[in-house]
Amino acid sequence: MTETLEKQHLAIETRDMHLFYGHFRAVKDVDLQVIPQKITAIIGPSGCGKSTVLRSFNRMNDFVPSFHMEGEVLFHGQNIYATDVDPVMVRQRIGMVFQKPNPFPKSIYDNVAWGARINGFKENMDDLVEQTLRQAALWDEVKDDLRKSGLSLSGGQQQRLCIARALAVKPEIILMDEPCSALDPIATLKIEDLMRELSEQYTIIIVTHNMQQAARASDHTAFFTMDEDRAGIMVEYGETNQIFTNPRDKRTEDYITGRFG
Amino acid sequence: MENQIVKQQVIRMESAEQLVIHKLRKRPRLGETFIQGFLFFCGAVSIFTTIGIVFELGKESLLFFQMPGVTLVEFLTKTEWQPTIGKFGVLSLINATLMTTLFAMLVALPLGLGAAIYLSEYATPRARSILKPVLEVLAGVPTVVYGFFALTTMTPLLRAIFGEQVQVYNTLSAGLVMGIMILPLVCSMSEDALSAVPRSLREAAYGLGATRLETAVQVVVPAALSGIIAAFILGVSRAVGETMIVALAAGSGPNFTFDPFQAAETMTGYIARISGGDVSYDTPDYNSIFAIGLLLFTSTLLLNVISRRLVARFREVYE
Ligand SMILES: Nc1ncnc2c1ncn2[C@@H]1O[C@H](COP(=O)(O)OP(=O)(O)OP(=O)(O)O)[C@@H](O)[C@H]1O
Ligand SMILES: [Mg+2]
């Protein structure tokens, strides 16, 4: 599989990536190649470093004082951890949707418009808001009152608002950390449909605990687990179909069949 | 035979039950009762003191307003305050209080909020560990020291800048120094409000490519706004009630002026001067300080109530 991958242009590529919190090595030696305009799922047991890996893709870990990393994370061939790279610019291109919906205590309109505005969006804001809310499959539910607080929406609606907000910045990649864990099955399916649609334009990397979700909604899957020293390692990475039907590694098989111990 | 064993068991069970009942029985806890009573007493003392103060202020104020020539309308609308010759316009004192309060808040709000934003959004743990104690020291300085600081440092400084038009006693100097005194209060309350804004909100902003400044000013501060307003109002209430600094540096003698370089006596300054001097009981001067005290008490009480309300509302949104 690696041969086919390397021929393509990659959305994100990590090389010998090690992630640390202080002296604790949370993730070790990850070489991951994320294919553009596809959905890549990261699965694995709790604490194996999925969130840490995801957050290292847009330098969100910078806000953890003890965090540091070794290796490279390449975005368009450029190491985003190089000293001359502005993390703010990285985050404009690589957006994030969080586990818990976290709309701003502002109106629905401003929630969507804010990110675009601070990034210097000069065109018609009303159009942008409508367009991204439609993309996030939220428009019909909120179009009558965009002045309403984003916090007044239901959890599932809030999460779609957060997705719309991320889209409004026009990123290339959207990182999602368990975006459905606070949602009911129906809202979850809505978000999955949405991801499928968005993947035509965007690269999506999603962390999930939900095996079915990974199997259903992703094109590629990376399975992480914990090594003896508690450091997270990437055990297997490949097409979702292959990972779920014909895993190469015993540990992957045990995990996806629920025999993880 | 079997029967007997059963019987014995029953008896044993009964006695075990009795043992449990005995263990569960209420028993007197003298120490606890005593401490409970003592704690109630502590609470009661503060309540009765408050009631006493209100009662005394009300009673004496009533005496003041019953004096010949004193009317509530004149009290609240006239600008000249000379009780000895029958002029009872409290506005000159209120005006001076408002002036010093304004100057104080012009210092305390921007600096206090700025320091709070720095502490909660920018400071490294090391910088925090230095700045926090400094602010605490600032908060612990006795107000009489601030008063002398105003008189011997701030006023000469103002005179060096603005020249001789600055009088030795003036509201600007007192107000500015009062602002420094209130700064730690505004800072620590605002910082509490800012720190209470959930991390997830900051991450949301950073995740959209916002800078630290954009995040702090456009997301965190608005989210903490009611808490910040509460800090501001409490600061105002402190400034209105502050006595020592204005008594020492703002001037002694009512003066209705909007000139910050002139001396003017505040409500608190007046009360301090009259109650400290040898004015005899039941003169207009003496009685008037209770009316002014009541005015001060109600306005600061009102400000504190508003501030508490705002803080409570803020808590509701984010907890
Ligand atoms: N801010 C932090 N400081 C120190 N250690 C951390 C921090 N965040 C995470 N860790 C540690 O790093 C390891 C990986 O954590 P991470 O949150 O990435 O796991 P995860 O796979 O996302 O788990 P979950 O599925 O429960 O979300 C854990 O051992 C965790 O204790
Ligand atoms: Mg996680």
Side-chain angles (χ1 to χ4, degrees):
Chain A
M1 191 194 67
T2 20
E3 290 139 50
T4 52
L5 288 183
E6 254 158 5
K7 289 206 185 79
Q8 297 178 42
H9 157 76
L10 296 170
I12 283 209
E13 184 182 5
T14 68
R15 288 193 185 153
D16 309 326
M17 183 176 76
H18 298 256
L19 306 171
F20 302 83
Y21 292 109
H23 293 298
F24 172 58
R25 188 206 305 253
V27 174
K28 78 177 169 196
D29 205 12
V30 175
D31 288 281
L32 178 67
Q33 298 171 319
V34 180
I35 318 294
Q37 264 120 64
K38 293 278 185 235
I39 302 175
T40 302
I42 299 179
I43 59 170
S46 185
C48 71
K50 304 179 295 296
S51 301
T52 306
V53 166
L54 196 72
R55 292 163 62 89
S56 69
F57 292 163
N58 69 342
R59 296 195 54 172
M60 227 37 191
N61 284 329
D62 289 16
F63 299 105
V64 179
S66 66
F67 174 82
H68 72 107
M69 67 95 68
E70 284 168 13
E72 290 183 329
V73 177
L74 302 179
F75 174 59
H76 291 288
Q78 192 180 14
N79 180 14
I80 60 168
Y81 284 87
T83 41
D84 60 342
V85 169
D86 181 358
V88 170
M89 299 314 289
V90 170
R91 292 184 208 112
Q92 285 176 14
R93 310 277 294 277
I94 307 176
M96 190 153 206
V97 176
F98 299 84
Q99 178 169 1
K100 240 181 82 204
N102 53 355
F104 298 124
K106 301 177 190 284
S107 71
I108 293 171
Y109 186 98
D110 286 336
N111 259 286
V112 179
W114 189 76
R117 204 177 286 138
I118 58 161
N119 289 326
F121 180 78
K122 290 283 184 315
E123 291 148 60
N124 189 326
M125 190 59 87
D126 292 358
D127 287 351
L128 179 77
V129 170
E130 175 171 350
Q131 182 201 331
T132 47
L133 282 173
R134 277 188 194 283
Q135 267 186 310
L138 187 61
W139 175 252
D140 290 330
E141 290 157 66
V142 299
K143 63 170 183 251
D144 299 323
D145 194 2
L146 295 175
R147 298 269 141 234
K148 216 164 62 166
S149 164
L151 290 169
S152 67
L153 299 174
S154 77
Q157 289 173 327
Q158 287 188 11
Q159 195 61 305
R160 275 177 285 151
L161 180 63
C162 293
I163 294 175
R165 179 176 72 179
L167 296 178
V169 182
K170 304 213 180 297
E172 285 170 47
I173 303 175
I174 301 173
L175 310 173
M176 298 182 164
D177 194 349
E178 301 183 45
C180 303
S181 64
L183 307 183
D184 71 39
I186 294 175
T188 300
L189 283 178
K190 258 194 181 151
I191 303 257
E192 284 176 22
D193 288 345
L194 180 59
M195 278 165 33
R196 188 44 75 197
E197 253 165 63
L198 293 176
S199 70
E200 287 167 16
Q201 286 182 55
Y202 302 90
T203 305
I204 295 176
I205 307 176
I206 178 174
V207 167
T208 178
H209 268 147
N210 182 334
M211 282 314 120
Q212 284 90 15
Q213 182 168 54
R216 256 192 325 249
S218 72
D219 303 303
H220 294 92
T221 298
F223 171 66
F224 280 70
T225 193
M226 259 179 286
D227 220 1
E228 291 87 40
D229 57 355
R230 281 181 57 234
I233 46 167
M234 187 167 80
V235 175
E236 195 168 350
Y237 173 53
E239 300 210 343
T240 300
N241 220 353
Q242 175 255 311
I243 296 275
F244 278 89
T245 55
N246 187 19
R248 296 207 177 97
D249 198 290
K250 178 86 169 49
R251 290 168 291 182
T252 316
E253 187 181 340
D254 286 351
Y255 185 74
I256 58 175
T257 54
R259 257 177 289 151
F260 176 74
Chain B
M1 187 65 179
E2 232 168 64
N3 238 341
Q4 245 179 357
I5 295 173
V6 171
K7 238 185 207 163
Q8 270 177 354
Q9 270 180 348
V10 168
I11 289 170
R12 217 175 286 149
M13 270 161 69
E14 271 175 358
S15 65
E17 214 163 89
Q18 246 159 16
L19 215 68
V20 171
I21 288 172
H22 178 74
K23 274 192 179 153
L24 288 179
R25 188 171 294 146
K26 236 188 207 169
R27 60 193 72 189
R29 291 198 178 78
L30 266 184
E32 197 150 326
T33 317
F34 175 75
I35 291 189
Q36 209 175 336
F38 177 72
L39 292 178
F40 173 77
F41 173 76
C42 296
V45 165
S46 64
I47 291 173
F48 284 125
T49 314
T50 312
I51 292 174
I53 289 173
V54 174
F55 177 75
E56 192 63 20
L57 279 178
K59 195 184 74 181
E60 300 282 342
S61 314
L62 215 59
L63 270 180
F64 172 68
F65 286 115
Q66 278 165 351
M67 295 187 93
V70 183
T71 67
L72 191 60
V73 177
E74 184 193 347
F75 181 67
L76 289 176
T77 57
K78 288 279 162 45
T79 58
E80 230 180 308
W81 180 264
Q82 276 181 309
T84 29
I85 59 164
K87 304 222 168 175
F88 300 103
V90 81
L91 278 185
S92 62
L93 301 178
I94 291 182
N95 181 60
T97 294
L98 291 182
M99 297 245 300
T100 51
T101 303
L102 174 75
F103 302 141
M105 292 326 285
L106 282 180
V107 171
L109 185 66
L111 291 187
L113 186 55
I117 291 176
Y118 174 75
L119 281 174
S120 93
E121 306 301 309
Y122 287 90
T124 59
R126 220 185 104 73
R128 268 181 78 89
S129 69
I130 297 170
L131 198 60
K132 278 275 225 187
V134 169
L135 281 166
E136 265 152 40
V137 168
L138 215 55
V141 174
T143 54
V144 65
V145 175
Y146 277 114
F148 273 104
F149 175 68
L151 208 54
T152 58
T153 309
M154 187 58 84
T155 303
L157 189 72
L158 291 174
R159 295 189 109 186
I161 299 170
F162 298 104
E164 287 299 301
Q165 57 171 326
V166 182
Q167 298 184 353
V168 173
Y169 299 103
N170 64 79
T171 48
L172 183 61
S173 170
L176 293 180
V177 171
M178 198 150 78
I180 299 172
M181 180 203 83
I182 296 168
L183 196 157
L185 173 82
V186 173
C187 176
S188 80
M189 268 188 78
S190 307
E191 200 214 334
D192 287 348
L194 293 173
S195 307
V197 173
R199 220 177 89 134
S200 64
L201 221 53
R202 291 184 182 86
E203 293 198 327
Y206 290 133
L208 293 169
T211 61
R212 266 183 199 272
L213 187 68
E214 285 161 345
T215 304
V217 174
Q218 296 183 36
V219 173
V220 182
V221 168
L225 197 61
S226 49
I228 293 168
I229 294 174
F232 175 73
I233 293 177
L234 212 62
V236 169
S237 147
R238 269 297 284 285
V240 167
E242 168 51 34
T243 309
M244 212 55 195
I245 298 173
V246 289
L248 284 172
S252 47
N255 180 13
F256 188 80
T257 173
F258 294 109
D259 182 354
F261 299 138
Q262 279 194 29
E265 193 165 47
T266 66
M267 298 197 272
T268 50
Y270 175 78
I271 295 176
R273 178 165 61 87
I274 297 303
S275 51
D278 49 358
V279 181
S280 51
Y281 183 74
D282 212 22
T283 57
D285 275 302
Y286 181 82
N287 287 346
S288 71
I289 66 173
F290 291 95
I292 295 170
L294 190 63
L295 199 61
L296 268 174
F297 180 81
T298 19
S299 45
T300 51
L301 184 71
L302 209 66
L303 288 170
N304 289 1
V305 168
I306 295 172
S307 159
R308 273 172 160 277
R309 281 267 165 87
L310 283 171
V311 172
R313 209 175 76 196
F314 178 72
R315 292 239 164 87
E316 267 166 36
V317 179
Y318 280 113
E319 271 169 28

